[in-house]
Amino acid sequence: MNHTPPPASAPTSAPLATLERWLTGPRFGALPAREAGHPVPALSFEFFPPKTEALETQLWHCIRRLEPLAPRFVSVTYGAGGSTQARTHATVSRIVTETTLTPAAHLTCVAASRAEVEAIAQQYWDAGVRHIVALRGDVPGGGRCEPHPDGYAYAADLVAGLRRIADFEISVAAYPEVHPAAVSPEDDLDNLRRKLDAGATRAITNFFFETETYLRFLDRCLAAGITVPIVPGIMPVSNFSQLGKFAAMSGCSVPAWMGHLFEGTEDDLEIRRMVAAIIAAEQVRLLQANGIDEFHFYTLNRPDLTNAIAHILGVRPRAPPPRSVPA
Ligand SMILES: Cc1cc2nc3c(=O)[nH]c(=O)nc-3n(C[C@H](O)[C@H](O)[C@H](O)COP(=O)(O)OP(=O)(O)OC[C@H]3O[C@@H](n4cnc5c(N)ncnc54)[C@H](O)[C@@H]3O)c2cc1C
């Protein structure tokens, strides 16, 4: 069939009938299907340490549901200033002893002395934890982050400190939309490079909703000579009304189209969760179509959306291998 090429842009003054819009407007490619033989992507899952017994049950249900997907690692967040120290440690230790999963412990340095942070890192090493997600953290309650007088000021300093303690695998945070406190995008990228130069081998991004934002960020990383994995952080969002404040704090913009998709779903959790799954599925498929083969999921300790999206990515459950029992 011989199509006349469509004009570069369609008139926007009046709404067009569907067929006319299709014939004259910009054309979009469909979401591509995964090609046969394409390798299955590597996943990692993030959990937060539970505060109550009920949340503990929820977390462990989530861990058990996601364990058969054989993620590369699972990470457990850490309250800045040590507010979740015991709970993060307990969760990570239980993952080591009771599951087949490889844990990564988040560790923040804000509002703590070097000695405190180093003691925690040493405890993790002694407990068999070999992967740390090294972060500065934020001061509880917001406000300006003043470094502890005897502490590590920034995540890059923490990475260097961890390297001196043991041969940890170290991941760090990256911000496709620039960290809110960064002086400039260039400074923020320099900071990422400092973290990698100090010994980190992977960056995990803050969540984002515009796929192009992340892909442009990859371009900027590459132009700056950064070639380690910059793993996209995917957050399936079903509680849209609470997203705005949370996203703004971490420097993630919420596109207007997302608000339109969730419009009118405030009292309908079922629809909200379906919309959330579709948004996240489109996002990961677009990323996958652009060659991304590693994904980090902010699970919020709920397995269903992550499970469904992992399935769409081509990941299938495996029977976990028997755990080796120390002699
Ligand atoms: C994947 C991921 C996981 C996270 N997990 C947790 C968690 O478990 N617990 C938690 O509390 N928070 C967590 N956070 C949030 C994080 O702690 C905050 O975003 C925090 O504000 C910055 O941490 P960072 O490690 O990126 O800091 P840094 O890399 O130290 O950067 C912090 C800011 O300082 C600037 N900066 C760095 N070095 C310098 C310098 N020498 N001079 C001037 N400015 C500088 C940077 O540009 C940036 O604006 C996580 C974030 C991500 C993306």
Side-chain angles (χ1 to χ4, degrees), residues 46 65 95 106 136 143 197 211 267 277 297:
E46 182 175 306
R65 283 283 287 146
I95 290 171
H106 290 217
R136 185 197 67 179
D197 288 347
T211 302
D267 299 325
F297 283 90

Side-chain angles (χ1 to χ4, degrees), residues 7-33:
S9 63
T12 52
S13 49
L16 297 169
T18 311
L19 187 59
E20 194 185 345
R21 149 74 188 81
W22 173 238
L23 286 173
T24 60
R27 291 189 170 242
F28 299 93
L31 281 174

